[in-house]
Amino acid sequence: MSRPDWEVVIGLEIHAQLNTASKIFSGATTAFGAEANAQASAVDIALPGVLPVLNKGAVERAIRFGLAIDAEVARKSVFARKNYFYPDLPKGYQISQFELPVVVGGQVTIRVGEGDAAYDKTVTLTRAHLEEDAGKSLHEDFHGMSGIDLNRAGTPLLEIVSEPDMRSSAEAVAYARALHTLVRWIDICDGNMQEGSFRCDANVSVRRPGAELGTRREIKNLNSFRFLQQAIDYEIQWQIERIEDGGRVEQATVLFDPDSGETRMMRSKEDAHDYRYFPDPDLLPVVISEDWIERTRAALPELPGAMRARFEADWGLSAYDAITLTSSRDAATYFEAAVAAAGDTLAKPCANWIMGELAARLNKAERDITDSPVGPAQLAALVRRIADGTISNNAGKKVFDTLWSEAGADVDAIIEAQGLKQMNDSGALEAIVDDVLAANPKSVEEFRAGKEKALNALVGQVMKASRGKANPTQVNEVLRSKLGG
Amino acid sequence: MIEASLKDLAAALRAGTLSSVELTTLFLDRIDALNPSLNAFITVDRDGALTAARAADARLAAGTAGPLTGIPLAHKDVFCTEGVRTTCASRMLENFVSPYDAHVVSQLKAVGAVMLGKTNMDEFAMGSSNENTHFGPTKNPWNTGRVPGGSSGGSAVAVAARLAPIATGTDTGGSVRQPAALTGVTGIKPTYGVVSRYGMIAYASSLDQGGAFGRSAEDCALLLSAMAGFDPRDSTSVERETEDYTRDLGKPLAGLRIGLPKEFFAEGMDDDVRAATEAALDQYRQLGATTVEVSLPNAKLAIPAYYVIAPAEASSNLSRFDGVRYGHRAPEYGDLADMYSKSRAQGFGAEVKRRILVGTYVLSHGYYDAYYLQAQKLRRLIAEDFIAAFTQCDVIAGPTSPTVAWPIGEKSDDPVQMYLQDIYTIAVNLAGLPGLSLPCGTGANDLPVGLQLIGNYFDEARLLNVAHGFQQTTDWHRRMPAVG
């Protein structure tokens, strides 16, 4: 996808649904999945005479977000009306923020790519503003007519707008993932993408390196990271081909079709609405006091960026490990509890177990880490027994199996019951090694002739003879010394 | 009985010499007899009224009655009433029945007032003559060939013709004060934010304010006391202690400083209106008040500012009438856009469409700064003029309307002439101040003239007492048109 003769410019607008119990301007519940229109109050269906009343919880969440990205929380912001007609927009206008948003600026550091090619990048945010969601139009099952479900109308959204800082779909996805982690971390959004709680619009343009910004097209409503990546990649390709074929990119809004993997035009610039924004006279300006900001700041948890830096600095974790473990607040909490029980020096093996065996098991069982049958204290006990040489890493996996299937089991009791203790008696081991060398002259011959691989066969034989209890490192040492290596 | 003050009616109800059912029946019968010629009511709810009257009688008997318990009243048809249709005098809402009560309606229900019905108005409160209505124009009881003013003309006529002792209205640019003046009753628009707008169908949200009509300032004070008060459902409702607006009634007016804006007295006012206004000011001087000239240099910009801001807000407020969920939907249409345009073209009258077009235009990209923002700046200047004037005086006085009631049809083809009717009232809405009109004399053809009193913010109690002091020593408010 990457073409050195073209530069890609991407900015994202992300709509995060705020997890308030009630809607942003009415008392109706925001719970997902009710019967159509069962959760639409008089305000939500815009009966004549009704008025909006701002939900403070939505503002509180916007403040939390602003503080988390080190942005300016506006001491005064203003709700405006965005006027357009659509059947699922009951008032004929959406209440949003236009000239004076609640959050201004801010930045998010992202990690892009994997392995040696991975790099950090800071994405600058333009703003984040509060607004209400619209309802939904249902085009099936109404005998050629359309149905309207207003349950979602009035659900609070935080629209998070980035600067056009991203230069590839990978950067865009890394940024979207970082925000997805952050909004859940600070508990303002449940992040459920299938239910539409976190949706992305991508503004994409291409230009020759160093040239002026190209004309952008906006891809609307991407509700998975995979679609975000696919849609951007398709769009880049499409725009480059178009220009290389002598055509021009016209400003437009497009939709991504996951089935075909293509974007298609929804409306051109000529069809763009004039939204006739003006301050909503039904709502007072939102005034946020220093005190409110300070109280909110004090209640914020340690943020993923700070935690990642701490894991790297204090416990020597790699950037990759630190990012993986701070991909959710629950994972980080688990990891910290495990390290607290195992000791700082065992942070790295704790990390490996969590990202390896535990993650694989949870994934397979479709369970959340908060719901893990193996608790952090148990995992720590297991890591310590491996570290102090009581059991081998392989035996550790057996212990883990038992911990997983038998709730609350004790690590030492499992080691005892299953006889997993490593053979740390060097006399007994030397006897076994002698027997194995005597029984395998061919392998001995080969090793001495310079065939390193032959040693593995001998190690395997010793492990087998010890019924897995020998410490493989020790076996290696003893074999090499006896073979005069 | 139809001449009695609220205080006397309440006393009779409490004494048991009169029941609410009797009183309610009396007014319902008057409505039946007179409404066909006056067209003050769009809907009369006889059954609902009598049910409420019986409940009020029970409260009176139980000794739990307040000053408005059992008192009949009329609501402007802009206030939503559960179970009784609310039309805004528009074809758009011809058959709309609200599932909830407006705050004002529920407040009055709670104190046991009895709603007789819903009054005619200019469609969506847009107009100054009560001619812009789907239900036919309302007639002025002083001369049924003339307009009663608007937009709360139906409520004004109901009180003037004694079809109801009191009535509610709304005032966005003069819609309570001007019809009060043209029909010879008292009407007050309080400070913006005093009366909750919840359930009051919006015309121009930043200017709309509920108000009260009565035959005296005292009756208005009683009604306003029940209508006002903080309502958390309206974010622009002001959070203050509830007030008894009768508390200052009877305080002497000696020493009162009345400001006379020189701009209001310069030109544009008809001679008969000027004569009645000057006579009323003389009466105040005799009561010990002094008059002082003040200046409102930006008041002349009120009409242009208003006709940007109000249509802008209206164009957005009226977007919800799209034929999708309630209200008029064209019986036949092609696609969605066609459904919208046909439903709205059929549902709205000419003046409403005119203001939606103007409002859409002034909010459009590229015009917003030149019109809307500019108008908001003027609005601040106008408010600052008043604030400066109130450093020199306690209340401001002047004419309510430049003319007496005019013949039906005379101005209906000339919107600008019509808009100029509100030249003295609109600045008050732009500033958010309380204003009141009381009958102060008669002009040509023996038609009523109103005196406008403008108070400082939240100075309703004083304003009502200033009107009350006048009414204690004059009879203009007791005159009754020769109907029925």
Side-chain angles (χ1 to χ4, degrees), chain B residues 402-475:
Chain B
T403 70
V404 295
W406 62 90
I408 290 172
E410 188 181 271
K411 299 182 204 291
S412 43
D413 293 331
D414 189 345
V416 174
Q417 272 308 305
M418 192 74 91
Y419 297 168
L420 287 171
Q421 274 303 307
D422 298 326
I423 191 155
Y424 304 122
T425 48
I426 274 181
V428 177
N429 298 80
L430 290 169
L433 293 164
L436 176 153
S437 179
L438 72 158
C440 72
T442 52
N445 303 308
D446 206 26
L447 290 162
V449 172
L451 178 76
Q452 181 177 213
L453 297 174
I454 303 164
N456 211 334
Y457 296 104
F458 304 109
D459 225 358
E460 288 80 6
R462 187 205 311 246
L463 212 50
L464 286 158
N465 181 46
V466 173
H468 180 71
F470 184 88
Q471 291 176 339
Q472 291 302 100
T473 54
T474 58
D475 281 331

Coordinates of all heavy atoms in Angstrom, one line a residue, chain B residues 402-475:
Chain B
P402 N -48.9 52.4 19.0 CA -49.0 53.7 18.5 C -50.5 54.1 18.0 O -50.7 55.3 17.8 CB -48.1 53.6 17.3 CG -47.9 52.2 16.9 CD -48.1 51.4 18.2
T403 N -51.4 53.1 17.9 CA -52.7 53.4 17.4 C -53.7 52.6 18.3 O -53.4 51.7 19.1 CB -52.9 52.9 16.0 OG1 -52.9 51.5 16.0 CG2 -51.8 53.4 15.1
V404 N -55.0 53.0 18.1 CA -56.0 52.2 18.7 C -56.3 51.0 17.7 O -55.7 51.0 16.6 CB -57.3 53.0 19.0 CG1 -57.1 54.0 20.1 CG2 -57.8 53.6 17.7
A405 N -57.3 50.2 18.1 CA -57.6 49.0 17.2 C -58.0 49.5 15.8 O -58.7 50.5 15.7 CB -58.7 48.2 17.9
W406 N -57.5 48.8 14.8 CA -57.8 49.2 13.4 C -58.7 48.2 12.8 O -58.9 47.1 13.3 CB -56.5 49.3 12.6 CG -55.7 48.1 12.5 CD1 -55.8 47.1 11.6 CD2 -54.7 47.6 13.4 NE1 -54.9 46.1 11.8 CE2 -54.2 46.4 13.0 CE3 -54.2 48.1 14.7 CZ2 -53.3 45.6 13.6 CZ3 -53.2 47.3 15.3 CH2 -52.8 46.1 14.8
P407 N -59.4 48.6 11.7 CA -60.3 47.7 11.0 C -59.7 46.4 10.5 O -58.5 46.4 10.1 CB -60.8 48.5 9.8 CG -60.6 49.9 10.2 CD -59.3 49.9 11.0
I408 N -60.4 45.3 10.7 CA -59.9 44.0 10.2 C -59.6 44.1 8.7 O -60.3 44.7 8.0 CB -61.0 42.9 10.5 CG1 -61.1 42.7 12.0 CG2 -60.7 41.6 9.7 CD1 -62.3 41.8 12.4
G409 N -58.4 43.6 8.3 CA -58.0 43.6 6.9 C -57.2 44.8 6.5 O -56.6 44.8 5.5
E410 N -57.2 45.9 7.4 CA -56.5 47.1 6.9 C -55.0 47.0 6.7 O -54.5 47.5 5.8 CB -56.8 48.2 8.0 CG -56.3 49.6 7.5 CD -56.6 50.6 8.6 OE1 -57.6 51.2 8.6 OE2 -55.7 50.8 9.5
K411 N -54.4 46.2 7.6 CA -52.9 46.1 7.5 C -52.5 44.7 7.1 O -51.3 44.4 7.0 CB -52.3 46.4 8.8 CG -52.5 47.8 9.3 CD -51.7 48.0 10.6 CE -52.3 49.1 11.5 NZ -52.2 50.5 10.9
S412 N -53.5 43.8 6.8 CA -53.1 42.4 6.7 C -52.3 42.1 5.4 O -51.6 41.1 5.4 CB -54.3 41.5 6.8 OG -55.4 42.0 6.1
D413 N -52.3 43.0 4.5 CA -51.5 42.8 3.3 C -50.2 43.5 3.3 O -49.4 43.6 2.4 CB -52.3 43.2 2.0 CG -53.4 42.4 1.8 OD1 -53.4 41.2 2.2 OD2 -54.5 42.8 1.2
D414 N -49.9 44.2 4.4 CA -48.7 45.0 4.6 C -47.9 44.6 5.8 O -48.1 45.2 6.9 CB -49.1 46.5 4.6 CG -47.9 47.4 4.5 OD1 -46.7 46.9 4.7 OD2 -48.1 48.6 4.2
P415 N -47.1 43.6 5.7 CA -46.4 43.1 6.9 C -45.6 44.2 7.6 O -45.6 44.2 8.8 CB -45.4 42.0 6.4 CG -45.8 41.8 4.9 CD -46.8 42.9 4.5
V416 N -45.0 45.1 6.9 CA -44.1 46.1 7.6 C -45.0 47.0 8.4 O -44.6 47.3 9.6 CB -43.3 46.9 6.6 CG1 -42.5 48.0 7.3 CG2 -42.3 46.0 5.9
Q417 N -46.1 47.5 7.9 CA -47.1 48.3 8.7 C -47.5 47.5 10.0 O -47.6 48.1 11.1 CB -48.3 48.6 7.9 CG -48.2 49.9 7.1 CD -47.7 51.1 7.9 OE1 -48.3 51.4 8.9 NE2 -46.6 51.7 7.5
M418 N -47.7 46.2 9.8 CA -48.1 45.4 10.9 C -47.0 45.3 11.9 O -47.2 45.4 13.1 CB -48.5 44.0 10.4 CG -49.1 43.1 11.4 SD -50.9 43.6 11.7 CE -51.7 42.6 10.5
Y419 N -45.8 45.1 11.4 CA -44.6 45.0 12.4 C -44.4 46.3 13.2 O -44.0 46.2 14.3 CB -43.3 44.7 11.6 CG -43.3 43.3 10.8 CD1 -42.4 43.0 9.9 CD2 -44.3 42.4 11.1 CE1 -42.4 41.8 9.2 CE2 -44.4 41.2 10.4 CZ -43.4 40.9 9.4 OH -43.4 39.7 8.8
L420 N -44.7 47.4 12.6 CA -44.5 48.7 13.3 C -45.5 48.9 14.4 O -45.2 49.7 15.3 CB -44.6 49.9 12.3 CG -43.5 50.0 11.3 CD1 -43.8 51.0 10.2 CD2 -42.2 50.4 12.0
Q421 N -46.5 48.1 14.5 CA -47.4 48.1 15.6 C -46.7 47.8 16.9 O -47.1 48.3 18.0 CB -48.5 47.1 15.4 CG -49.7 47.6 14.6 CD -50.3 48.8 15.3 OE1 -50.7 48.8 16.4 NE2 -50.5 49.8 14.5
D422 N -45.6 47.1 16.9 CA -44.9 46.6 18.1 C -43.7 47.5 18.4 O -42.9 47.1 19.2 CB -44.5 45.1 17.9 CG -45.7 44.2 17.7 OD1 -46.8 44.5 18.3 OD2 -45.6 43.2 17.0
I423 N -43.7 48.7 17.9 CA -42.5 49.5 18.0 C -42.2 49.9 19.5 O -41.0 50.0 19.8 CB -42.7 50.8 17.2 CG1 -41.4 51.6 17.1 CG2 -43.9 51.7 17.7 CD1 -41.4 52.5 15.8
Y424 N -43.2 49.9 20.3 CA -42.9 50.3 21.7 C -42.8 49.1 22.6 O -42.3 49.2 23.8 CB -44.1 51.2 22.3 CG -44.3 52.4 21.5 CD1 -45.6 52.7 21.0 CD2 -43.3 53.3 21.3 CE1 -45.8 53.8 20.2 CE2 -43.5 54.5 20.5 CZ -44.8 54.7 20.0 OH -45.0 55.8 19.3
T425 N -43.2 47.9 22.2 CA -43.2 46.8 23.0 C -41.9 45.9 22.8 O -41.5 45.2 23.8 CB -44.4 45.9 22.8 OG1 -44.6 45.7 21.4 CG2 -45.6 46.6 23.4
I426 N -41.4 45.8 21.6 CA -40.4 44.8 21.2 C -39.1 45.0 22.0 O -38.5 44.0 22.4 CB -40.2 44.9 19.7 CG1 -41.2 44.0 19.0 CG2 -38.8 44.4 19.3 CD1 -41.1 43.9 17.5
A427 N -38.7 46.2 22.2 CA -37.4 46.5 22.9 C -37.4 45.8 24.3 O -36.4 45.3 24.8 CB -37.2 48.0 23.0
V428 N -38.6 45.8 24.9 CA -38.7 45.2 26.3 C -38.4 43.7 26.2 O -37.7 43.1 27.1 CB -40.1 45.4 26.8 CG1 -40.3 44.8 28.2 CG2 -40.4 46.9 26.9
N429 N -38.9 43.0 25.2 CA -38.6 41.6 25.0 C -37.1 41.3 24.7 O -36.5 40.4 25.3 CB -39.4 40.9 23.9 CG -40.9 41.0 24.2 OD1 -41.5 42.1 23.9 ND2 -41.5 39.9 24.6
L430 N -36.5 42.2 23.9 CA -35.1 42.1 23.5 C -34.3 42.2 24.8 O -33.2 41.6 24.9 CB -34.7 43.1 22.5 CG -35.3 42.8 21.1 CD1 -35.1 43.9 20.1 CD2 -34.7 41.5 20.5
A431 N -34.7 43.1 25.7 CA -33.9 43.3 26.9 C -34.3 42.3 28.0 O -33.6 42.2 29.0 CB -34.2 44.7 27.4
G432 N -35.4 41.6 27.8 CA -35.8 40.6 28.8 C -36.5 41.2 30.0 O -36.7 40.5 31.1
L433 N -37.0 42.5 29.9 CA -37.6 43.2 31.1 C -39.0 42.9 31.2 O -39.7 42.4 30.3 CB -37.4 44.7 30.9 CG -35.9 45.2 30.9 CD1 -35.9 46.6 30.3 CD2 -35.4 45.2 32.4
P434 N -39.6 43.1 32.4 CA -41.0 43.0 32.6 C -41.8 44.2 32.0 O -41.3 45.3 32.1 CB -41.2 42.9 34.1 CG -40.1 43.6 34.7 CD -38.9 43.5 33.7
G435 N -42.9 44.0 31.4 CA -43.7 45.1 30.9 C -45.2 44.8 31.1 O -45.6 43.7 31.2
L436 N -45.9 45.9 31.2 CA -47.4 45.8 31.6 C -48.1 46.8 30.8 O -47.6 47.9 30.5 CB -47.5 46.0 33.1 CG -48.9 46.1 33.8 CD1 -48.7 45.7 35.3 CD2 -49.5 47.4 33.7
S437 N -49.3 46.5 30.4 CA -50.2 47.5 29.8 C -51.5 47.6 30.6 O -52.1 46.6 30.9 CB -50.5 47.1 28.3 OG -51.4 48.1 27.7
L438 N -51.9 48.8 30.8 CA -53.2 49.0 31.5 C -54.0 50.0 30.8 O -53.5 50.9 30.1 CB -52.9 49.5 33.0 CG -52.5 50.9 33.2 CD1 -52.8 51.3 34.7 CD2 -51.0 51.0 33.0
P439 N -55.3 49.8 30.8 CA -56.2 50.8 30.1 C -56.1 52.2 30.7 O -56.2 52.3 32.0 CB -57.6 50.2 30.2 CG -57.5 49.1 31.2 CD -56.1 48.8 31.5
C440 N -55.9 53.2 29.9 CA -55.6 54.5 30.5 C -56.5 55.6 29.9 O -56.3 56.8 30.1 CB -54.2 54.9 30.4 SG -53.6 55.3 28.7
G441 N -57.4 55.2 29.0 CA -58.3 56.2 28.4 C -58.8 55.7 27.1 O -58.7 54.5 26.8
T442 N -59.4 56.6 26.3 CA -60.0 56.1 25.0 C -59.5 57.1 24.0 O -59.2 58.2 24.2 CB -61.5 56.1 25.0 OG1 -62.0 57.4 25.5 CG2 -62.1 55.1 25.9
G443 N -59.5 56.5 22.8 CA -59.1 57.4 21.6 C -60.2 57.5 20.6 O -61.4 57.5 21.1
A444 N -59.9 57.6 19.4 CA -60.9 57.7 18.3 C -61.9 56.6 18.4 O -61.6 55.4 18.8 CB -60.2 57.7 17.0
N445 N -63.2 56.9 18.1 CA -64.3 55.9 18.1 C -64.4 55.2 19.5 O -64.9 54.1 19.5 CB -64.0 54.9 17.0 CG -63.9 55.5 15.6 OD1 -64.7 56.3 15.3 ND2 -62.8 55.2 15.0
D446 N -64.0 55.9 20.5 CA -64.2 55.4 21.9 C -63.5 54.1 22.1 O -63.8 53.3 22.9 CB -65.7 55.2 22.1 CG -66.0 55.3 23.6 OD1 -65.2 56.0 24.4 OD2 -67.0 54.7 24.1
L447 N -62.4 53.9 21.3 CA -61.6 52.6 21.5 C -60.6 52.8 22.6 O -60.0 53.9 22.8 CB -61.0 52.3 20.1 CG -62.0 51.8 19.1 CD1 -61.3 51.9 17.7 CD2 -62.5 50.4 19.4
P448 N -60.3 51.7 23.3 CA -59.3 51.8 24.4 C -57.9 52.1 24.0 O -57.5 51.8 22.9 CB -59.4 50.4 25.0 CG -60.5 49.7 24.4 CD -60.8 50.4 23.1
V449 N -57.2 52.8 24.9 CA -55.8 53.1 24.8 C -55.1 52.5 26.0 O -55.6 52.6 27.1 CB -55.5 54.6 24.7 CG1 -54.0 54.9 24.7 CG2 -56.2 55.2 23.5
G450 N -53.9 51.9 25.7 CA -53.2 51.3 26.8 C -52.0 52.1 27.2 O -51.3 52.7 26.3
L451 N -51.6 52.2 28.5 CA -50.4 52.8 28.9 C -49.4 51.6 29.2 O -49.8 50.7 29.9 CB -50.6 53.6 30.2 CG -49.3 54.2 30.8 CD1 -48.9 55.4 29.9 CD2 -49.6 54.6 32.2
Q452 N -48.2 51.7 28.7 CA -47.2 50.7 29.0 C -46.3 51.1 30.1 O -45.8 52.2 30.1 CB -46.4 50.4 27.7 CG -45.3 49.3 28.0 CD -44.5 48.9 26.8 OE1 -44.1 47.7 26.6 NE2 -44.2 49.8 25.9
L453 N -46.1 50.2 31.1 CA -45.2 50.4 32.1 C -44.1 49.4 32.0 O -44.4 48.2 31.9 CB -45.9 50.3 33.5 CG -47.0 51.3 33.8 CD1 -47.7 50.9 35.1 CD2 -46.4 52.7 33.9
I454 N -42.9 49.8 32.1 CA -41.7 48.9 32.0 C -40.9 48.9 33.2 O -40.6 50.0 33.7 CB -40.8 49.3 30.8 CG1 -41.6 49.3 29.5 CG2 -39.6 48.3 30.6 CD1 -40.9 50.1 28.3
G455 N -40.7 47.8 33.8 CA -39.9 47.7 35.1 C -38.5 47.2 34.9 O -38.2 46.7 33.8
N456 N -37.7 47.3 35.9 CA -36.4 46.7 36.0 C -36.6 45.2 36.1 O -37.6 44.7 36.4 CB -35.6 47.4 37.1 CG -34.1 47.4 36.7 OD1 -33.6 46.6 35.9 ND2 -33.4 48.3 37.3
Y457 N -35.5 44.5 36.0 CA -35.5 43.0 36.1 C -36.1 42.6 37.4 O -35.8 43.1 38.5 CB -34.1 42.4 35.9 CG -33.6 42.7 34.5 CD1 -32.6 43.6 34.3 CD2 -34.1 41.9 33.4 CE1 -32.1 43.8 33.0 CE2 -33.6 42.2 32.1 CZ -32.6 43.1 31.9 OH -32.1 43.4 30.7
F458 N -37.1 41.7 37.3 CA -37.7 41.1 38.5 C -38.5 42.1 39.4 O -38.7 41.9 40.5 CB -36.7 40.3 39.4 CG -36.0 39.3 38.6 CD1 -34.6 39.4 38.3 CD2 -36.6 38.2 38.1 CE1 -34.0 38.5 37.5 CE2 -36.0 37.2 37.4 CZ -34.6 37.4 37.0
D459 N -38.9 43.2 38.7 CA -39.6 44.3 39.5 C -41.1 44.2 39.2 O -41.8 45.2 39.3 CB -39.1 45.6 39.0 CG -38.8 46.5 40.2 OD1 -39.1 46.1 41.4 OD2 -38.4 47.7 40.0
E460 N -41.6 43.0 39.0 CA -43.0 42.8 38.7 C -43.9 43.3 39.8 O -45.0 43.9 39.5 CB -43.4 41.3 38.4 CG -42.8 40.7 37.1 CD -41.4 40.4 37.2 OE1 -40.8 40.4 38.3 OE2 -40.8 40.0 36.1
A461 N -43.6 43.1 41.0 CA -44.5 43.5 42.1 C -44.7 45.0 42.1 O -45.8 45.5 42.3 CB -43.9 42.9 43.4
R462 N -43.6 45.7 41.9 CA -43.7 47.1 41.9 C -44.5 47.6 40.7 O -45.3 48.5 40.8 CB -42.3 47.8 41.8 CG -42.4 49.3 42.0 CD -41.3 50.1 41.4 NE -39.9 49.7 41.7 CZ -39.1 50.4 42.4 NH1 -39.4 51.6 42.9 NH2 -37.8 50.0 42.6
L463 N -44.2 47.0 39.5 CA -44.9 47.4 38.3 C -46.4 47.2 38.5 O -47.2 48.1 38.1 CB -44.4 46.4 37.2 CG -44.4 46.9 35.8 CD1 -43.6 48.2 35.7 CD2 -43.6 45.9 34.9
L464 N -46.8 46.1 39.1 CA -48.2 45.8 39.3 C -48.8 46.8 40.3 O -50.0 47.3 40.1 CB -48.4 44.4 39.8 CG -48.2 43.3 38.8 CD1 -47.8 42.0 39.4 CD2 -49.5 43.2 37.9
N465 N -48.0 47.2 41.3 CA -48.6 48.2 42.2 C -48.7 49.6 41.6 O -49.6 50.4 41.9 CB -47.7 48.3 43.5 CG -48.2 49.4 44.4 OD1 -49.4 49.3 44.7 ND2 -47.4 50.3 44.9
V466 N -47.8 49.9 40.7 CA -47.9 51.2 40.0 C -49.2 51.2 39.1 O -49.9 52.2 39.1 CB -46.6 51.5 39.1 CG1 -46.8 52.7 38.2 CG2 -45.4 51.6 40.0
A467 N -49.5 50.1 38.5 CA -50.8 50.0 37.8 C -52.0 50.0 38.7 O -53.0 50.7 38.5 CB -50.8 48.8 36.9
H468 N -51.8 49.3 39.8 CA -52.9 49.2 40.8 C -53.2 50.6 41.4 O -54.4 51.0 41.5 CB -52.4 48.3 41.9 CG -53.5 48.1 43.0 ND1 -54.6 47.4 42.8 CD2 -53.5 48.5 44.3 CE1 -55.3 47.4 44.0 NE2 -54.6 48.1 44.9
G469 N -52.2 51.4 41.7 CA -52.4 52.8 42.2 C -53.2 53.6 41.3 O -54.1 54.3 41.7
F470 N -52.9 53.5 40.0 CA -53.7 54.2 38.9 C -55.2 53.7 38.9 O -56.1 54.5 38.9 CB -53.1 53.9 37.6 CG -53.7 54.7 36.4 CD1 -53.3 56.0 36.1 CD2 -54.7 54.1 35.7 CE1 -53.8 56.7 35.0 CE2 -55.3 54.8 34.6 CZ -54.8 56.1 34.3
Q471 N -55.3 52.4 39.0 CA -56.7 51.8 38.9 C -57.5 52.1 40.2 O -58.7 52.1 40.1 CB -56.6 50.3 38.6 CG -56.0 50.1 37.2 CD -55.8 48.6 36.9 OE1 -55.7 47.8 37.7 NE2 -55.8 48.3 35.6
Q472 N -56.8 52.4 41.3 CA -57.6 52.7 42.5 C -58.2 54.1 42.4 O -59.1 54.4 43.1 CB -56.6 52.7 43.7 CG -56.1 51.4 44.1 CD -57.2 50.4 44.5 OE1 -57.6 49.6 43.6 NE2 -57.8 50.5 45.7
T473 N -57.7 54.9 41.5 CA -58.2 56.3 41.4 C -58.8 56.6 40.0 O -59.2 57.7 39.8 CB -57.0 57.3 41.7 OG1 -55.9 57.0 40.7 CG2 -56.5 57.2 43.1
T474 N -58.9 55.6 39.2 CA -59.5 55.8 37.9 C -60.5 54.6 37.6 O -60.4 53.6 38.2 CB -58.5 55.9 36.7 OG1 -57.7 54.7 36.8 CG2 -57.5 57.1 36.9
D475 N -61.3 54.8 36.5 CA -62.3 53.8 36.2 C -62.1 53.1 34.8 O -62.9 52.4 34.4 CB -63.7 54.4 36.2 CG -64.2 54.5 37.6 OD1 -63.8 53.7 38.5 OD2 -65.0 55.4 37.9

